[in-house]
Amino acid sequence: MKYKLIEENEEYIVINKPAGLLTHGAPHIKEKTLVEQILKDYPDIAKVGDDPERPGIMHRLDKLASGIIVLARTMDSFDNLKSQFKNRTVKKDYTALVFGKIQKDEDEINFPIKRSTKGFKMAAIPSTNHGQENIEGRKAISKFVITTRFINYTLLNVKIKTGRTHQIRVHLAAYGHPIVGDDLYGTKKTRIKNKKLNLERIFLHAHKLSFKNLAGEIKEYEIKLPKDLKDFLAIVK
């Protein structure tokens, strides 16, 4: 699995990560990652950032998701992009297919997110506790607009204001509509369906990303759905 280059300049590179490829590794992970591919093609990125295991990485996508990622090529660019991610001015759009029919045309999900007692996953918690704001988890905001309604599924355009681990997956599952292909946050019923569907990935694709370069110009990148998701949409009901 190899990433596809979308844009390359002196400040940063923008790539399309395929599903099945880890963004970056960890001491216990042995499989190949996006970072290893990037360092082979752009060795200068090795010195960029504040974590040697994630050189140039500004944000990540889950292994089983696909889509746009931006990587900084210089420390000036890294600091510029880091500030925008921190201040939540970077715009991120995702396409997600979920189980079931959603009645509202659009909605906002604002459940705080914390690490689950099962340490390998995250959990959404109520936004209030006894009438007060729940400070137990980290604030997380996801907004969606329905793109297409099917009989048994709903296609969404999702925008996230925060970038918590597994945010979209956790939020949509807590909303009662897990993402197709997501066994980690799905229900027993949807896991059985996933096995029959045999998608072999989650139906989550980061299709649009917008930020400002060092000159203060807004740069926007947008890509289409990959072939496997297009083909899958053609057969769902």
Side-chain angles (χ1 to χ4, degrees):
M1 290 173 290
K2 175 73 173 180
Y3 71 88
K4 292 182 180 179
L5 183 66
I6 299 172
E7 170 79 15
E8 173 190 16
N9 56 49
E10 294 180 355
E11 291 182 30
Y12 57 81
I13 59 173
V14 179
I15 63 98
N16 180 1
K17 184 195 84 70
L21 179 66
L22 277 172
T23 302
H24 59 79
H28 65 284
I29 294 175
K30 304 301 180 184
E31 64 186 281
K32 298 295 184 180
T33 66
L34 171 65
V35 164
E36 289 176 84
Q37 293 184 12
I38 293 294
L39 289 177
K40 184 177 180 181
D41 296 338
Y42 303 90
D44 55 307
I45 287 181
K47 299 178 181 180
V48 177
D50 45 29
D51 183 345
E53 290 188 355
R54 296 186 285 179
I57 296 286
M58 308 309 310
H59 57 129
R60 59 182 291 276
L61 287 175
D62 295 342
K63 176 182 175 180
L64 295 180
S66 58
I68 302 177
I69 292 179
V70 59
L71 298 95
R73 295 189 70 180
T74 68
M75 280 305 301
D76 284 344
S77 179
F78 181 85
D79 292 338
N80 173 51
L81 291 168
K82 183 178 179 179
S83 174
Q84 292 176 65
F85 275 98
K86 183 178 180 180
N87 294 325
R88 301 175 184 172
T89 57
V90 176
K91 295 181 180 179
K92 295 172 280 185
D93 284 56
Y94 299 75
T95 300
L97 184 71
V98 299
F99 286 104
K101 276 187 173 182
I102 297 179
Q103 298 304 317
K104 292 185 178 181
D105 292 335
E106 57 185 88
D107 205 355
E108 178 178 293
I109 308 172
N110 59 6
F111 303 127
I113 292 175
K114 69 172 186 176
R115 187 158 294 280
S116 169
T117 51
K118 300 175 181 177
F120 57 87
K121 62 188 293 188
M122 309 302 288
I125 60 177
S127 54
T128 59
N129 185 11
H130 300 294
Q132 301 295 320
E133 183 179 356
N134 198 338
I135 60 172
E136 187 178 351
R138 301 184 71 188
K139 185 176 182 179
I141 301 172
S142 305
K143 297 182 178 181
F144 71 78
V145 175
I146 290 180
T147 303
T148 310
R149 283 187 173 93
F150 299 93
I151 297 172
N152 301 307
Y153 308 90
T154 307
L155 188 67
L156 309 174
N157 184 87
V158 185
K159 297 176 184 288
I160 58 174
K161 293 291 289 182
T162 50
R164 308 304 179 203
T165 300
H166 296 176
Q167 178 174 321
I168 297 176
R169 299 168 66 182
V170 175
H171 269 175
L172 290 173
Y175 195 74
H177 296 273
I179 293 177
V180 171
D182 194 349
D183 285 339
L184 185 60
Y185 294 102
T187 64
K188 182 178 180 181
K189 187 176 180 180
T190 61
R191 284 193 287 272
I192 292 172
K193 289 183 178 179
N194 283 334
K195 191 172 182 180
K196 292 179 180 178
L197 293 170
N198 196 32
L199 182 59
E200 297 185 343
R201 58 163 294 173
I202 59 176
F203 201 118
L204 183 64
H205 180 67
H207 69 268
K208 186 186 290 187
L209 184 68
S210 176
F211 54 86
K212 289 184 179 179
N213 63 12
L214 285 170
E217 302 165 329
I218 296 176
K219 308 300 290 185
E220 183 174 282
Y221 301 92
E222 186 168 5
I223 57 177
K224 296 179 180 179
L225 278 179
K227 185 178 184 302
D228 59 343
L229 297 188
K230 279 184 184 176
D231 292 346
F232 187 80
L233 274 185
I235 63 171
V236 299
K237 297 179 180 179

PDB file of all heavy atoms in Angstrom, residues 62 92 109 111 113 122 124 138-143 158-173 179 185 204:
ATOM      1  N   ASP A  62      -7.115   6.955  11.158  1.00  0.00           N
ATOM      2  CA  ASP A  62      -7.103   5.567  11.612  1.00  0.00           C
ATOM      3  C   ASP A  62      -6.619   4.658  10.492  1.00  0.00           C
ATOM      4  O   ASP A  62      -6.810   4.948   9.306  1.00  0.00           O
ATOM      5  CB  ASP A  62      -8.506   5.140  12.045  1.00  0.00           C
ATOM      6  CG  ASP A  62      -8.996   5.906  13.263  1.00  0.00           C
ATOM      7  OD1 ASP A  62      -8.150   6.502  13.956  1.00  0.00           O
ATOM      8  OD2 ASP A  62     -10.210   5.913  13.503  1.00  0.00           O
ATOM      9  N   LYS A  92     -11.764  20.321   8.356  1.00  0.00           N
ATOM     10  CA  LYS A  92     -11.633  18.915   7.966  1.00  0.00           C
ATOM     11  C   LYS A  92     -13.012  18.340   7.666  1.00  0.00           C
ATOM     12  O   LYS A  92     -13.908  18.425   8.504  1.00  0.00           O
ATOM     13  CB  LYS A  92     -10.965  18.118   9.092  1.00  0.00           C
ATOM     14  CG  LYS A  92      -9.531  18.521   9.362  1.00  0.00           C
ATOM     15  CD  LYS A  92      -8.980  17.857  10.608  1.00  0.00           C
ATOM     16  CE  LYS A  92      -9.427  18.574  11.860  1.00  0.00           C
ATOM     17  NZ  LYS A  92      -8.814  18.032  13.089  1.00  0.00           N
ATOM     18  N   ILE A 109     -22.975  16.732  17.279  1.00  0.00           N
ATOM     19  CA  ILE A 109     -22.731  15.778  18.361  1.00  0.00           C
ATOM     20  C   ILE A 109     -21.613  16.359  19.228  1.00  0.00           C
ATOM     21  O   ILE A 109     -20.534  16.661  18.714  1.00  0.00           O
ATOM     22  CB  ILE A 109     -22.316  14.397  17.815  1.00  0.00           C
ATOM     23  CG1 ILE A 109     -23.329  13.900  16.771  1.00  0.00           C
ATOM     24  CG2 ILE A 109     -22.197  13.388  18.952  1.00  0.00           C
ATOM     25  CD1 ILE A 109     -22.896  12.639  16.050  1.00  0.00           C
ATOM     26  N   PHE A 111     -20.699  15.052  22.567  1.00  0.00           N
ATOM     27  CA  PHE A 111     -20.345  14.241  23.724  1.00  0.00           C
ATOM     28  C   PHE A 111     -18.847  14.342  24.007  1.00  0.00           C
ATOM     29  O   PHE A 111     -18.038  14.157  23.093  1.00  0.00           O
ATOM     30  CB  PHE A 111     -20.676  12.766  23.479  1.00  0.00           C
ATOM     31  CG  PHE A 111     -22.106  12.489  23.125  1.00  0.00           C
ATOM     32  CD1 PHE A 111     -22.432  11.759  21.994  1.00  0.00           C
ATOM     33  CD2 PHE A 111     -23.147  12.955  23.921  1.00  0.00           C
ATOM     34  CE1 PHE A 111     -23.743  11.488  21.658  1.00  0.00           C
ATOM     35  CE2 PHE A 111     -24.465  12.693  23.598  1.00  0.00           C
ATOM     36  CZ  PHE A 111     -24.765  11.957  22.459  1.00  0.00           C
ATOM     37  N   ILE A 113     -15.213  13.013  25.149  1.00  0.00           N
ATOM     38  CA  ILE A 113     -14.610  11.703  24.881  1.00  0.00           C
ATOM     39  C   ILE A 113     -13.484  11.443  25.880  1.00  0.00           C
ATOM     40  O   ILE A 113     -12.683  12.327  26.182  1.00  0.00           O
ATOM     41  CB  ILE A 113     -14.068  11.639  23.438  1.00  0.00           C
ATOM     42  CG1 ILE A 113     -15.234  11.670  22.443  1.00  0.00           C
ATOM     43  CG2 ILE A 113     -13.219  10.391  23.227  1.00  0.00           C
ATOM     44  CD1 ILE A 113     -14.798  11.728  20.992  1.00  0.00           C
ATOM     45  N   MET A 122     -11.882   4.261  22.831  1.00  0.00           N
ATOM     46  CA  MET A 122     -12.362   5.477  23.466  1.00  0.00           C
ATOM     47  C   MET A 122     -13.843   5.330  23.800  1.00  0.00           C
ATOM     48  O   MET A 122     -14.511   4.407  23.336  1.00  0.00           O
ATOM     49  CB  MET A 122     -12.126   6.683  22.558  1.00  0.00           C
ATOM     50  CG  MET A 122     -10.716   6.826  22.029  1.00  0.00           C
ATOM     51  SD  MET A 122      -9.461   6.933  23.334  1.00  0.00           S
ATOM     52  CE  MET A 122      -9.801   8.583  23.966  1.00  0.00           C
ATOM     53  N   ALA A 124     -17.578   7.766  24.535  1.00  0.00           N
ATOM     54  CA  ALA A 124     -18.304   9.029  24.629  1.00  0.00           C
ATOM     55  C   ALA A 124     -19.058   9.029  25.949  1.00  0.00           C
ATOM     56  O   ALA A 124     -19.584   8.003  26.381  1.00  0.00           O
ATOM     57  CB  ALA A 124     -19.273   9.176  23.463  1.00  0.00           C
ATOM     58  N   ARG A 138     -12.698  14.846  27.424  1.00  0.00           N
ATOM     59  CA  ARG A 138     -12.193  15.977  26.653  1.00  0.00           C
ATOM     60  C   ARG A 138     -13.271  16.448  25.681  1.00  0.00           C
ATOM     61  O   ARG A 138     -13.954  15.638  25.050  1.00  0.00           O
ATOM     62  CB  ARG A 138     -10.933  15.578  25.881  1.00  0.00           C
ATOM     63  CG  ARG A 138      -9.808  15.091  26.777  1.00  0.00           C
ATOM     64  CD  ARG A 138      -8.553  14.792  25.978  1.00  0.00           C
ATOM     65  NE  ARG A 138      -7.929  16.023  25.484  1.00  0.00           N
ATOM     66  CZ  ARG A 138      -6.902  16.052  24.633  1.00  0.00           C
ATOM     67  NH1 ARG A 138      -6.422  14.907  24.170  1.00  0.00           N
ATOM     68  NH2 ARG A 138      -6.392  17.192  24.233  1.00  0.00           N
ATOM     69  N   LYS A 139     -13.418  17.743  25.575  1.00  0.00           N
ATOM     70  CA  LYS A 139     -14.442  18.317  24.707  1.00  0.00           C
ATOM     71  C   LYS A 139     -14.251  17.848  23.267  1.00  0.00           C
ATOM     72  O   LYS A 139     -13.133  17.816  22.753  1.00  0.00           O
ATOM     73  CB  LYS A 139     -14.384  19.844  24.766  1.00  0.00           C
ATOM     74  CG  LYS A 139     -15.490  20.539  23.994  1.00  0.00           C
ATOM     75  CD  LYS A 139     -15.426  22.044  24.192  1.00  0.00           C
ATOM     76  CE  LYS A 139     -16.567  22.746  23.456  1.00  0.00           C
ATOM     77  NZ  LYS A 139     -16.529  24.219  23.648  1.00  0.00           N
ATOM     78  N   ALA A 140     -15.354  17.473  22.626  1.00  0.00           N
ATOM     79  CA  ALA A 140     -15.297  16.990  21.235  1.00  0.00           C
ATOM     80  C   ALA A 140     -16.563  17.418  20.512  1.00  0.00           C
ATOM     81  O   ALA A 140     -17.663  17.257  21.031  1.00  0.00           O
ATOM     82  CB  ALA A 140     -15.152  15.476  21.200  1.00  0.00           C
ATOM     83  N   ILE A 141     -16.404  17.988  19.319  1.00  0.00           N
ATOM     84  CA  ILE A 141     -17.550  18.480  18.546  1.00  0.00           C
ATOM     85  C   ILE A 141     -17.478  17.949  17.116  1.00  0.00           C
ATOM     86  O   ILE A 141     -16.475  18.130  16.423  1.00  0.00           O
ATOM     87  CB  ILE A 141     -17.587  20.017  18.507  1.00  0.00           C
ATOM     88  CG1 ILE A 141     -17.673  20.589  19.927  1.00  0.00           C
ATOM     89  CG2 ILE A 141     -18.772  20.508  17.674  1.00  0.00           C
ATOM     90  CD1 ILE A 141     -17.526  22.104  19.984  1.00  0.00           C
ATOM     91  N   SER A 142     -18.539  17.280  16.700  1.00  0.00           N
ATOM     92  CA  SER A 142     -18.671  16.790  15.327  1.00  0.00           C
ATOM     93  C   SER A 142     -20.005  17.255  14.769  1.00  0.00           C
ATOM     94  O   SER A 142     -21.020  17.191  15.459  1.00  0.00           O
ATOM     95  CB  SER A 142     -18.622  15.252  15.280  1.00  0.00           C
ATOM     96  OG  SER A 142     -17.464  14.743  15.896  1.00  0.00           O
ATOM     97  N   LYS A 143     -20.001  17.729  13.536  1.00  0.00           N
ATOM     98  CA  LYS A 143     -21.240  18.142  12.880  1.00  0.00           C
ATOM     99  C   LYS A 143     -21.417  17.330  11.609  1.00  0.00           C
ATOM    100  O   LYS A 143     -20.439  17.067  10.911  1.00  0.00           O
ATOM    101  CB  LYS A 143     -21.207  19.634  12.545  1.00  0.00           C
ATOM    102  CG  LYS A 143     -21.115  20.546  13.768  1.00  0.00           C
ATOM    103  CD  LYS A 143     -21.138  22.013  13.352  1.00  0.00           C
ATOM    104  CE  LYS A 143     -21.099  22.934  14.574  1.00  0.00           C
ATOM    105  NZ  LYS A 143     -21.141  24.366  14.183  1.00  0.00           N
ATOM    106  N   VAL A 158     -19.236  14.826   7.303  1.00  0.00           N
ATOM    107  CA  VAL A 158     -18.955  15.140   8.704  1.00  0.00           C
ATOM    108  C   VAL A 158     -17.825  16.153   8.802  1.00  0.00           C
ATOM    109  O   VAL A 158     -16.789  16.011   8.153  1.00  0.00           O
ATOM    110  CB  VAL A 158     -18.566  13.870   9.487  1.00  0.00           C
ATOM    111  CG1 VAL A 158     -18.399  14.197  10.970  1.00  0.00           C
ATOM    112  CG2 VAL A 158     -19.603  12.765   9.303  1.00  0.00           C
ATOM    113  N   LYS A 159     -18.027  17.187   9.629  1.00  0.00           N
ATOM    114  CA  LYS A 159     -16.989  18.165   9.918  1.00  0.00           C
ATOM    115  C   LYS A 159     -16.649  18.058  11.396  1.00  0.00           C
ATOM    116  O   LYS A 159     -17.547  17.926  12.233  1.00  0.00           O
ATOM    117  CB  LYS A 159     -17.464  19.592   9.627  1.00  0.00           C
ATOM    118  CG  LYS A 159     -17.803  19.870   8.162  1.00  0.00           C
ATOM    119  CD  LYS A 159     -18.345  21.296   8.026  1.00  0.00           C
ATOM    120  CE  LYS A 159     -18.798  21.608   6.606  1.00  0.00           C
ATOM    121  NZ  LYS A 159     -17.662  21.766   5.668  1.00  0.00           N
ATOM    122  N   ILE A 160     -15.366  18.092  11.718  1.00  0.00           N
ATOM    123  CA  ILE A 160     -14.989  18.026  13.129  1.00  0.00           C
ATOM    124  C   ILE A 160     -14.258  19.309  13.539  1.00  0.00           C
ATOM    125  O   ILE A 160     -13.402  19.809  12.823  1.00  0.00           O
ATOM    126  CB  ILE A 160     -14.135  16.783  13.446  1.00  0.00           C
ATOM    127  CG1 ILE A 160     -12.850  16.738  12.615  1.00  0.00           C
ATOM    128  CG2 ILE A 160     -14.950  15.522  13.228  1.00  0.00           C
ATOM    129  CD1 ILE A 160     -11.914  15.603  13.012  1.00  0.00           C
ATOM    130  N   LYS A 161     -14.643  19.829  14.699  1.00  0.00           N
ATOM    131  CA  LYS A 161     -14.005  21.027  15.235  1.00  0.00           C
ATOM    132  C   LYS A 161     -12.823  20.655  16.123  1.00  0.00           C
ATOM    133  O   LYS A 161     -11.928  21.465  16.348  1.00  0.00           O
ATOM    134  CB  LYS A 161     -15.019  21.836  16.051  1.00  0.00           C
ATOM    135  CG  LYS A 161     -16.137  22.448  15.236  1.00  0.00           C
ATOM    136  CD  LYS A 161     -15.630  23.570  14.341  1.00  0.00           C
ATOM    137  CE  LYS A 161     -15.242  24.799  15.140  1.00  0.00           C
ATOM    138  NZ  LYS A 161     -14.790  25.912  14.259  1.00  0.00           N
ATOM    139  N   THR A 162     -12.846  19.433  16.655  1.00  0.00           N
ATOM    140  CA  THR A 162     -11.760  18.957  17.504  1.00  0.00           C
ATOM    141  C   THR A 162     -11.182  17.697  16.862  1.00  0.00           C
ATOM    142  O   THR A 162     -11.791  17.133  15.957  1.00  0.00           O
ATOM    143  CB  THR A 162     -12.288  18.623  18.914  1.00  0.00           C
ATOM    144  OG1 THR A 162     -13.435  17.775  18.788  1.00  0.00           O
ATOM    145  CG2 THR A 162     -12.700  19.889  19.665  1.00  0.00           C
ATOM    146  N   GLY A 163     -10.043  17.258  17.344  1.00  0.00           N
ATOM    147  CA  GLY A 163      -9.407  16.098  16.725  1.00  0.00           C
ATOM    148  C   GLY A 163      -9.077  15.015  17.730  1.00  0.00           C
ATOM    149  O   GLY A 163      -7.919  14.632  17.886  1.00  0.00           O
ATOM    150  N   ARG A 164     -10.084  14.531  18.430  1.00  0.00           N
ATOM    151  CA  ARG A 164      -9.857  13.483  19.426  1.00  0.00           C
ATOM    152  C   ARG A 164      -9.657  12.128  18.751  1.00  0.00           C
ATOM    153  O   ARG A 164     -10.156  11.895  17.650  1.00  0.00           O
ATOM    154  CB  ARG A 164     -11.037  13.403  20.397  1.00  0.00           C
ATOM    155  CG  ARG A 164     -11.436  14.722  21.028  1.00  0.00           C
ATOM    156  CD  ARG A 164     -10.290  15.391  21.742  1.00  0.00           C
ATOM    157  NE  ARG A 164     -10.701  16.671  22.310  1.00  0.00           N
ATOM    158  CZ  ARG A 164      -9.881  17.660  22.603  1.00  0.00           C
ATOM    159  NH1 ARG A 164      -8.574  17.535  22.351  1.00  0.00           N
ATOM    160  NH2 ARG A 164     -10.328  18.780  23.127  1.00  0.00           N
ATOM    161  N   THR A 165      -8.977  11.238  19.441  1.00  0.00           N
ATOM    162  CA  THR A 165      -8.763   9.889  18.923  1.00  0.00           C
ATOM    163  C   THR A 165     -10.096   9.208  18.627  1.00  0.00           C
ATOM    164  O   THR A 165     -10.982   9.178  19.487  1.00  0.00           O
ATOM    165  CB  THR A 165      -7.966   9.045  19.945  1.00  0.00           C
ATOM    166  OG1 THR A 165      -6.709   9.674  20.184  1.00  0.00           O
ATOM    167  CG2 THR A 165      -7.740   7.631  19.430  1.00  0.00           C
ATOM    168  N   HIS A 166     -10.242   8.698  17.396  1.00  0.00           N
ATOM    169  CA  HIS A 166     -11.455   7.968  16.973  1.00  0.00           C
ATOM    170  C   HIS A 166     -12.731   8.809  17.100  1.00  0.00           C
ATOM    171  O   HIS A 166     -13.826   8.265  17.198  1.00  0.00           O
ATOM    172  CB  HIS A 166     -11.629   6.682  17.797  1.00  0.00           C
ATOM    173  CG  HIS A 166     -10.558   5.679  17.606  1.00  0.00           C
ATOM    174  ND1 HIS A 166     -10.502   4.495  18.318  1.00  0.00           N
ATOM    175  CD2 HIS A 166      -9.471   5.668  16.785  1.00  0.00           C
ATOM    176  CE1 HIS A 166      -9.431   3.809  17.954  1.00  0.00           C
ATOM    177  NE2 HIS A 166      -8.797   4.499  17.022  1.00  0.00           N
ATOM    178  N   GLN A 167     -12.586  10.137  17.064  1.00  0.00           N
ATOM    179  CA  GLN A 167     -13.730  11.015  17.365  1.00  0.00           C
ATOM    180  C   GLN A 167     -14.991  10.714  16.565  1.00  0.00           C
ATOM    181  O   GLN A 167     -16.074  10.553  17.128  1.00  0.00           O
ATOM    182  CB  GLN A 167     -13.334  12.480  17.154  1.00  0.00           C
ATOM    183  CG  GLN A 167     -14.502  13.449  17.398  1.00  0.00           C
ATOM    184  CD  GLN A 167     -14.092  14.896  17.342  1.00  0.00           C
ATOM    185  OE1 GLN A 167     -13.018  15.254  17.815  1.00  0.00           O
ATOM    186  NE2 GLN A 167     -14.920  15.750  16.767  1.00  0.00           N
ATOM    187  N   ILE A 168     -14.878  10.664  15.244  1.00  0.00           N
ATOM    188  CA  ILE A 168     -16.069  10.453  14.418  1.00  0.00           C
ATOM    189  C   ILE A 168     -16.668   9.080  14.684  1.00  0.00           C
ATOM    190  O   ILE A 168     -17.896   8.926  14.794  1.00  0.00           O
ATOM    191  CB  ILE A 168     -15.732  10.626  12.923  1.00  0.00           C
ATOM    192  CG1 ILE A 168     -15.279  12.062  12.653  1.00  0.00           C
ATOM    193  CG2 ILE A 168     -16.934  10.269  12.047  1.00  0.00           C
ATOM    194  CD1 ILE A 168     -14.830  12.311  11.227  1.00  0.00           C
ATOM    195  N   ARG A 169     -15.831   8.079  14.820  1.00  0.00           N
ATOM    196  CA  ARG A 169     -16.308   6.719  15.065  1.00  0.00           C
ATOM    197  C   ARG A 169     -17.044   6.634  16.406  1.00  0.00           C
ATOM    198  O   ARG A 169     -18.126   6.032  16.504  1.00  0.00           O
ATOM    199  CB  ARG A 169     -15.120   5.746  15.054  1.00  0.00           C
ATOM    200  CG  ARG A 169     -14.382   5.717  13.714  1.00  0.00           C
ATOM    201  CD  ARG A 169     -13.053   4.985  13.819  1.00  0.00           C
ATOM    202  NE  ARG A 169     -13.250   3.560  14.095  1.00  0.00           N
ATOM    203  CZ  ARG A 169     -12.237   2.726  14.274  1.00  0.00           C
ATOM    204  NH1 ARG A 169     -10.981   3.157  14.220  1.00  0.00           N
ATOM    205  NH2 ARG A 169     -12.481   1.446  14.514  1.00  0.00           N
ATOM    206  N   VAL A 170     -16.458   7.233  17.441  1.00  0.00           N
ATOM    207  CA  VAL A 170     -17.069   7.217  18.775  1.00  0.00           C
ATOM    208  C   VAL A 170     -18.381   7.995  18.777  1.00  0.00           C
ATOM    209  O   VAL A 170     -19.405   7.536  19.311  1.00  0.00           O
ATOM    210  CB  VAL A 170     -16.100   7.819  19.819  1.00  0.00           C
ATOM    211  CG1 VAL A 170     -16.766   7.912  21.188  1.00  0.00           C
ATOM    212  CG2 VAL A 170     -14.843   6.982  19.922  1.00  0.00           C
ATOM    213  N   HIS A 171     -18.360   9.188  18.187  1.00  0.00           N
ATOM    214  CA  HIS A 171     -19.551  10.043  18.185  1.00  0.00           C
ATOM    215  C   HIS A 171     -20.722   9.412  17.443  1.00  0.00           C
ATOM    216  O   HIS A 171     -21.857   9.412  17.930  1.00  0.00           O
ATOM    217  CB  HIS A 171     -19.220  11.406  17.579  1.00  0.00           C
ATOM    218  CG  HIS A 171     -18.776  12.407  18.597  1.00  0.00           C
ATOM    219  ND1 HIS A 171     -18.325  13.666  18.275  1.00  0.00           N
ATOM    220  CD2 HIS A 171     -18.733  12.341  19.951  1.00  0.00           C
ATOM    221  CE1 HIS A 171     -18.024  14.326  19.384  1.00  0.00           C
ATOM    222  NE2 HIS A 171     -18.259  13.543  20.409  1.00  0.00           N
ATOM    223  N   LEU A 172     -20.469   8.876  16.253  1.00  0.00           N
ATOM    224  CA  LEU A 172     -21.574   8.300  15.484  1.00  0.00           C
ATOM    225  C   LEU A 172     -22.113   7.033  16.144  1.00  0.00           C
ATOM    226  O   LEU A 172     -23.320   6.774  16.113  1.00  0.00           O
ATOM    227  CB  LEU A 172     -21.133   8.035  14.048  1.00  0.00           C
ATOM    228  CG  LEU A 172     -20.914   9.302  13.213  1.00  0.00           C
ATOM    229  CD1 LEU A 172     -20.304   8.970  11.860  1.00  0.00           C
ATOM    230  CD2 LEU A 172     -22.218  10.076  13.026  1.00  0.00           C
ATOM    231  N   ALA A 173     -21.241   6.263  16.773  1.00  0.00           N
ATOM    232  CA  ALA A 173     -21.708   5.083  17.499  1.00  0.00           C
ATOM    233  C   ALA A 173     -22.567   5.496  18.691  1.00  0.00           C
ATOM    234  O   ALA A 173     -23.628   4.912  18.942  1.00  0.00           O
ATOM    235  CB  ALA A 173     -20.516   4.248  17.966  1.00  0.00           C
ATOM    236  N   ILE A 179     -20.463   3.507  12.164  1.00  0.00           N
ATOM    237  CA  ILE A 179     -19.954   3.531  10.798  1.00  0.00           C
ATOM    238  C   ILE A 179     -19.879   2.101  10.252  1.00  0.00           C
ATOM    239  O   ILE A 179     -19.481   1.170  10.949  1.00  0.00           O
ATOM    240  CB  ILE A 179     -18.563   4.186  10.751  1.00  0.00           C
ATOM    241  CG1 ILE A 179     -18.670   5.676  11.114  1.00  0.00           C
ATOM    242  CG2 ILE A 179     -17.918   4.026   9.379  1.00  0.00           C
ATOM    243  CD1 ILE A 179     -17.334   6.390  11.174  1.00  0.00           C
ATOM    244  N   TYR A 185     -16.404  -0.089  17.400  1.00  0.00           N
ATOM    245  CA  TYR A 185     -17.434   0.735  18.036  1.00  0.00           C
ATOM    246  C   TYR A 185     -18.862   0.341  17.628  1.00  0.00           C
ATOM    247  O   TYR A 185     -19.825   0.988  18.024  1.00  0.00           O
ATOM    248  CB  TYR A 185     -17.191   2.219  17.720  1.00  0.00           C
ATOM    249  CG  TYR A 185     -15.922   2.725  18.348  1.00  0.00           C
ATOM    250  CD1 TYR A 185     -14.761   2.894  17.590  1.00  0.00           C
ATOM    251  CD2 TYR A 185     -15.857   3.000  19.711  1.00  0.00           C
ATOM    252  CE1 TYR A 185     -13.583   3.331  18.175  1.00  0.00           C
ATOM    253  CE2 TYR A 185     -14.685   3.440  20.297  1.00  0.00           C
ATOM    254  CZ  TYR A 185     -13.553   3.602  19.527  1.00  0.00           C
ATOM    255  OH  TYR A 185     -12.385   4.040  20.120  1.00  0.00           O
ATOM    256  N   LEU A 204     -15.016   5.406   6.117  1.00  0.00           N
ATOM    257  CA  LEU A 204     -14.677   6.753   6.584  1.00  0.00           C
ATOM    258  C   LEU A 204     -13.532   7.269   5.722  1.00  0.00           C
ATOM    259  O   LEU A 204     -12.473   6.638   5.642  1.00  0.00           O
ATOM    260  CB  LEU A 204     -14.269   6.731   8.057  1.00  0.00           C
ATOM    261  CG  LEU A 204     -13.947   8.089   8.690  1.00  0.00           C
ATOM    262  CD1 LEU A 204     -15.180   8.987   8.711  1.00  0.00           C
ATOM    263  CD2 LEU A 204     -13.409   7.905  10.112  1.00  0.00           C
TER     264      LEU A 204
END
